[in-house]
Amino acid sequence: MSTPLPSHASVVVIGGGIMGCSTLYHLAQMGVSDAILLERNALTSGTTWHSAAQVRALRHSRNLTRMIQYSVDLYARLEEETGQNVGWIQKGSLSIATTPDRLTHVKRQEALAHAYGIEAASISAGEAKERWPLMNADGVLGAVWSPDDGRVSPSDVCAALVKGAKSLGAKIFERTGVTGILTDQGRIKGVETTRGTVMCDAIALCTGLWSREAGAMAGAEVPALACEHFYLLTKPIDGIVGNTPTLSDHDSHLYIRDDSGGLLVGCFEPMGKPIAPGVLNESFEFGLLPEDWDHFEPMMELALNRLPALETAEVKMLLNGPESFTPDGTFMLGETAETRGLFLGCGMNSVGLASGGGAGMNLAHAIVHGHTAYDLTEADAKRFAPVFNNIDHLMARAPEILGTHYDIAYPGKQLVTARGLRALPLDSEYKAAGAHMGQFYGWERPLYFGKTEEPTLRFDKPDWFANVAAEVRAAHEAAAIFDASPFGKIDVTGPDAEAFLLKTCAGFMGRAPGSVIYTAVLNARGTFESDITAQRIADDHYRLFVGTNAIKRDLAWFTRAAEGFDLRLSDVTEDYAVLGLMGPEAARIARELGGNLDGIGYFKHAGATLAGVPVRAARLSYVGEAGWEITCKAADAATLYTAMTRAGATPAGLFAQTSMRIEKGFCAMGHELDSDVTPVQAGLDFATRKTGGFTGAEVLAEQRDAGVASHVISLALDDLDAVPLGHEPIYLDDRILGQTSSCAFGYRIGRPVALGHVSEPVADGARVQVDIARTLYDATVTLGPLYDPDGERMKA
């Protein structure tokens, strides 16, 4: 007789794939002994069972790499802990390059590996051939060898996780479908199943292919869609003796390894095949989709070139199994914005087995402790604009995301599908000015102006170099317009507005109306949840300006912190346009438009009229030149912009803004600032209240008392042709000191520039080296801004 469902569980995990099994195991490890897992069919059904299960540690960021390194350690530990073999085969991986740009790409990855403590080495085409004798090495320019990579058995890993979870009191219920999710006032209360109702405090949604529909049961947006994913299996062939390294020929979109004496040849073709909702119904368990040789044929031709032995190999099957993909190619992890207690662990983008151990640990950590074990903002469940949950947009985007799996990481690369979803108020004006657009939170935003053709992406001096130079020059010598309209805008109104912001913000929020306030928003650990500027419009009215990609996350953070306060939070992002008028001619232009803004002090704001348009002008600068961020009604933006340009202002894009920001040493969320970093460590303690009273204040006080110093530095590179992109290792005396975090060409100082983090104090003026694709470039450290360190230009 089957075990009855409990009437209550602290946490219900829905889904019995790698993410569900890992999350349950880690919940039990963290003391949640009454957690249960519900699986509609059988464990590992859906996607996990047919995974190629490669575990490659290196990812584009330190913490994603750290997460997979945890997976590797966990899988090895599970065998000792549970006695269950997980099929770990550690034969390494070999990434070959057949084009110069791919060689640069893999050498950048090698440099990253060194920064993250992963063994990796460049080898020649001949050495690559020695490691993979069946490979045709014609056209191979070089390779990178990573000896610590491997693969596992999906079913065995899940069996070990389940065994470990059960030993700690957790329970698994297969053949138990969830038919509904119960909520009350936006909070999880329980689940309805085919075997009864279970009340609970939290849900971990690890439902893989069906996550979008499962999230909708709880009123949450989960933008993920399944695509077909192919790999070829052959019968045994001569030359395969034992296990082989994984061979990655990403220029041909292929990954290759042995399988039962034969070959497994998988692909991430340039454009995948989406699977419409409803095709994979509840009876799809250990199913596969039909073979599609026509679709696979171009990949097969490339595979035959790389592996001549395939020509005479006997095909066992062309496996076509579904995988789920998100709009940006990274999984979703953490609590949703819409529903308290609903946590996502889904949209794994074909890296479920590699990520599953570490991702499951972090998801359990978020449920138990309220945050992941380290910063995983890039995977935050709240990062997508609602527009991406549209099924038509997902059907267009997900196949492209599958194809980008093996893309070369060119600077400035943009996706081409699901574009034009959100237009700025000045969209038509920008297109008329030759704007090249990038997509951010669904918004189409100018990157630079003056080129209408698509740029050729490259690792050396970019096609847009001269365009950005002209825009920076305009801001430095005359006047430029920077569009900040897509920044999120949250109005805080009500009698408790000041008290609420004094609690949630570390800055000097009690300043009088008419003030502009820069502030960190911290968590209880004293690290960044956000950094924002606020305009105090009245005693009971503030307007918060948050990052473009952060509006959903930040609004959820403030909303949850507002319980018990008498106030209202309103998202007014799309009601207003914000134009930054910057440069030495900005004041003249404002006067010509009928508004004398000279009387507005630095970090002050006031109402005015420009070109007949009511505006609020705030005197501050993100680019280090004098000017104002001017807010107007969205409908009035075209009138204001036309008048500014006729008076001599030039539109400037995001690339120019980023270059100027880095020269000024201004930190940005997701680059220098994240939930692993405090204001003290980022050199921003000057903008926090020393009297405390805000969330995280105690941690900052402890760090000050301990003498913790800023670990953010500025770098100016000697070689004018160097092109740092970010994440490059910084060397001091042949050892890695840190990494770059934001990089650009600094047009005002005439050389490549970067911001970076270092792990120990370094002297102002120190000489270091930056590793760009395994070439070391000399650079000088500056503690503070590279350009106008005293801020005289922007305060003039």
Side-chain angles (χ1 to χ4, degrees):
M1 186 173 178
S2 61
T3 305
L5 287 177
S7 60
H8 181 272
S10 295
V11 183
V12 173
V13 180
I14 307 177
I18 179 61
M19 271 302 299
C21 293
S22 178
T23 303
L24 184 74
Y25 169 84
H26 286 99
L27 285 168
Q29 285 277 329
M30 294 176 193
V32 187
S33 58
D34 68 336
I36 66 171
L37 183 151
L38 307 179
E39 165 55 50
R40 179 170 64 190
N41 295 309
L43 295 178
T44 76
S45 60
T47 293
T48 296
W49 73 276
H50 63 69
S51 169
Q54 298 172 142
V55 183
R56 299 188 66 186
L58 183 62
R59 290 298 182 265
H60 66 267
S61 73
R62 177 177 297 277
N63 282 349
L64 286 181
T65 301
R66 178 180 179 184
M67 188 186 73
I68 298 179
Q69 288 174 306
Y70 177 90
S71 294
V72 173
D73 294 342
L74 171 68
Y75 299 157
R77 187 175 78 239
L78 279 172
E79 291 198 27
E80 300 176 14
E81 179 185 322
T82 67
Q84 168 68 51
N85 187 299
V86 299
W88 174 241
I89 299 170
Q90 191 172 32
K91 290 292 183 176
S93 67
L94 186 66
S95 296
I96 62 173
T98 62
T99 65
D101 281 355
R102 178 67 67 180
L103 189 60
T104 297
H105 175 84
V106 298
K107 286 187 173 182
R108 287 183 58 82
Q109 290 184 312
E110 182 195 352
L112 266 183
H114 294 173
Y116 300 155
I118 296 172
E119 189 176 348
S122 291
I123 61 173
S124 67
E127 292 172 293
K129 173 76 171 174
E130 290 176 8
R131 286 182 166 83
W132 243 93
L134 289 179
M135 175 183 72
N136 170 21
D138 291 349
V140 176
L141 303 179
V144 169
W145 168 244
S146 303
D148 294 336
D149 292 341
R151 60 186 189 262
V152 291
S153 164
S155 58
D156 290 337
V157 166
C158 289
L161 290 166
V162 165
K163 190 173 182 181
K166 283 182 174 180
S167 71
L168 295 168
K171 294 182 172 60
I172 290 91
F173 297 89
E174 296 180 273
R175 307 295 169 189
T176 307
V178 173
T179 57
I181 295 177
L182 304 176
T183 63
D184 181 28
Q185 296 183 349
R187 290 178 178 269
I188 288 295
K189 290 298 178 184
V191 293
E192 296 175 325
T193 81
T194 53
R195 295 174 56 190
T197 298
V198 181
M199 305 307 290
C200 62
D201 304 315
I203 290 173
L205 200 71
C206 304
T207 42
L209 305 168
W210 300 277
S211 295
R212 184 170 179 270
E213 294 77 9
M217 290 185 190
E221 296 171 347
V222 186
L225 187 84
C227 288
E228 300 182 24
H229 179 57
F230 299 88
Y231 60 76
L232 177 76
L233 293 169
T234 76
K235 292 183 179 179
I237 64 172
D238 291 339
I240 297 291
V241 180
N243 297 121
T244 64
T246 298
L247 172 63
S248 297
D249 180 2
H250 292 168
D251 288 320
S252 297
H253 319 288
L254 301 172
Y255 63 91
I256 303 160
R257 64 167 172 82
D258 68 281
D259 185 88
S260 302
L263 287 170
L264 183 156
V265 181
C267 68
F268 287 93
E269 64 276 26
M271 188 62 72
K273 294 178 64 181
I275 303 172
V279 171
L280 306 176
N281 59 30
E282 62 185 25
S283 66
F284 189 87
E285 187 172 351
F286 292 101
L288 294 171
L289 298 163
E291 294 183 344
D292 188 341
W293 283 99
D294 288 341
H295 185 76
F296 189 72
E297 184 179 7
M299 301 300 104
M300 187 64 179
E301 291 179 2
L302 294 167
L304 285 166
N305 173 64
R306 189 58 58 210
L307 295 173
L310 267 181
E311 194 166 342
T312 56
E314 189 175 350
V315 172
K316 186 186 297 183
M317 70 181 302
L318 177 61
L319 186 144
N320 181 0
E323 305 252 6
S324 59
F325 295 85
T326 63
D328 65 358
T330 300
F331 56 88
M332 289 175 281
L333 191 143
E335 192 172 26
T336 64
E338 298 85 2
T339 308
R340 295 295 308 268
L342 181 67
F343 292 81
L344 304 185
C346 53
M348 300 309 292
N349 295 273
S350 264
V351 294
L353 262 295
S355 303
M361 179 275 287
N362 274 285
L363 185 56
H365 199 282
I367 295 169
V368 173
H369 299 289
H371 58 88
T372 52
Y374 34 79
D375 182 79
L376 288 172
T377 301
E378 59 205 305
D380 194 311
K382 298 180 283 292
R383 72 186 183 275
F384 291 115
V387 70
F388 280 114
N389 201 38
N390 176 290
I391 193 61
D392 292 334
H393 300 159
L394 287 169
M395 288 286 286
R397 175 59 64 83
E400 183 185 11
I401 292 297
L402 179 148
T404 62
H405 202 71
Y406 289 158
D407 261 3
I408 294 175
Y410 287 115
K413 181 175 174 59
Q414 287 285 315
L415 296 167
V416 299
T417 59
R419 295 295 298 268
L421 305 184
R422 305 179 79 188
L424 294 175
L426 294 172
D427 186 67
S428 60
E429 285 80 3
Y430 291 149
K431 288 177 179 174
H436 185 80
M437 298 290 201
Q439 189 183 63
F440 302 88
Y441 202 66
W443 294 105
E444 294 294 331
R445 201 172 170 188
L447 301 177
Y448 57 90
F449 288 86
K451 275 188 180 291
T452 54
E453 70 274 13
E454 284 296 310
T456 299
L457 299 178
R458 58 202 332 136
F459 285 115
D460 56 2
K461 184 181 291 186
D463 282 9
W464 53 80
F465 187 90
N467 304 67
V468 177
E471 294 167 24
V472 173
R473 186 164 53 251
H476 181 56
E477 298 177 359
I481 302 168
F482 296 89
D483 197 325
S485 303
F487 275 53
K489 306 166 197 74
I490 302 170
D491 273 5
V492 184
T493 55
D496 286 351
E498 179 180 306
F500 168 68
L501 292 173
L502 285 171
K503 177 64 176 175
T504 54
C505 297
F508 298 87
M509 306 306 293
R511 297 187 189 276
S515 297
V516 178
I517 307 153
Y518 167 77
T519 179
V521 180
L522 307 178
N523 52 48
R525 306 182 306 285
T527 61
F528 282 87
E529 288 295 324
S530 187
D531 79 323
I532 67 176
T533 56
Q535 295 179 12
R536 190 170 194 178
I537 297 171
D539 286 341
D540 60 353
H541 183 190
Y542 292 77
R543 180 165 295 149
L544 313 182
F545 293 80
V546 309
T548 301
N549 295 318
I551 179 62
K552 192 173 185 179
R553 184 182 71 239
D554 286 2
L555 186 58
W557 178 268
F558 283 117
T559 298
R560 290 165 187 181
E563 293 181 11
F565 288 93
D566 184 5
L567 56 84
R568 183 179 177 215
L569 296 167
S570 306
D571 179 2
V572 297
T573 301
E574 298 193 38
D575 296 344
Y576 296 99
V578 181
L579 302 181
L581 180 63
M582 301 291 162
E585 292 290 305
R588 173 192 62 78
I589 291 172
R591 287 193 294 271
E592 286 187 16
L593 300 189
N596 187 343
L597 307 183
D598 294 358
I600 302 173
Y602 191 59
F603 263 71
K604 301 293 182 181
H605 68 85
T609 300
L610 296 178
V613 172
V615 303
R616 182 170 300 280
R619 190 165 175 217
L620 70 160
S621 177
Y622 199 45
V623 297
E625 302 291 343
W628 299 269
E629 291 189 0
I630 299 169
T631 302
C632 67
K633 287 287 188 181
D636 292 331
T639 299
L640 189 58
Y641 172 84
T642 299
M644 287 179 177
T645 53
R646 284 177 177 169
T650 299
L654 190 61
F655 288 170
Q657 176 179 290
T658 298
S659 166
M660 300 173 84
R661 169 184 76 81
I662 296 169
E663 286 180 315
K664 279 297 297 173
F666 292 150
C667 297
M669 285 296 296
H671 296 273
E672 292 70 47
L673 312 177
D674 59 34
S675 63
D676 290 337
V677 176
T678 71
V680 175
Q681 295 167 327
L684 293 171
D685 194 34
F686 68 89
T688 66
R689 306 195 311 271
K690 306 308 178 287
T691 53
F694 56 89
T695 302
E698 297 81 2
V699 176
L700 304 193
E702 291 171 3
Q703 290 191 340
R704 289 185 208 109
D705 291 344
V708 173
S710 170
H711 55 56
V712 176
I713 62 169
S714 296
L715 293 170
L717 281 71
D718 293 358
D719 190 330
L720 302 189
D721 294 323
V723 184
L725 303 178
H727 300 290
E728 290 94 355
I730 303 168
Y731 282 81
L732 176 67
D733 299 329
D734 298 324
R735 58 191 176 84
I736 294 176
L737 179 71
Q739 276 185 275
T740 62
S741 50
S742 294
C743 301
F745 190 88
Y747 296 91
R748 290 176 295 191
I749 69 167
R751 59 187 60 255
V753 296
L755 296 176
H757 290 277
V758 291
S759 57
E760 61 187 72
V762 59
D764 190 62
R767 297 286 286 166
V768 297
Q769 293 181 306
V770 178
D771 182 349
I772 304 176
R774 304 306 293 131
T775 298
L776 296 177
Y777 292 85
D778 293 326
T780 301
V781 172
T782 295
L783 303 182
L786 294 164
Y787 171 75
D788 188 26
D790 297 324
E792 295 176 358
R793 293 275 303 191
M794 61 186 181
K795 297 175 184 176

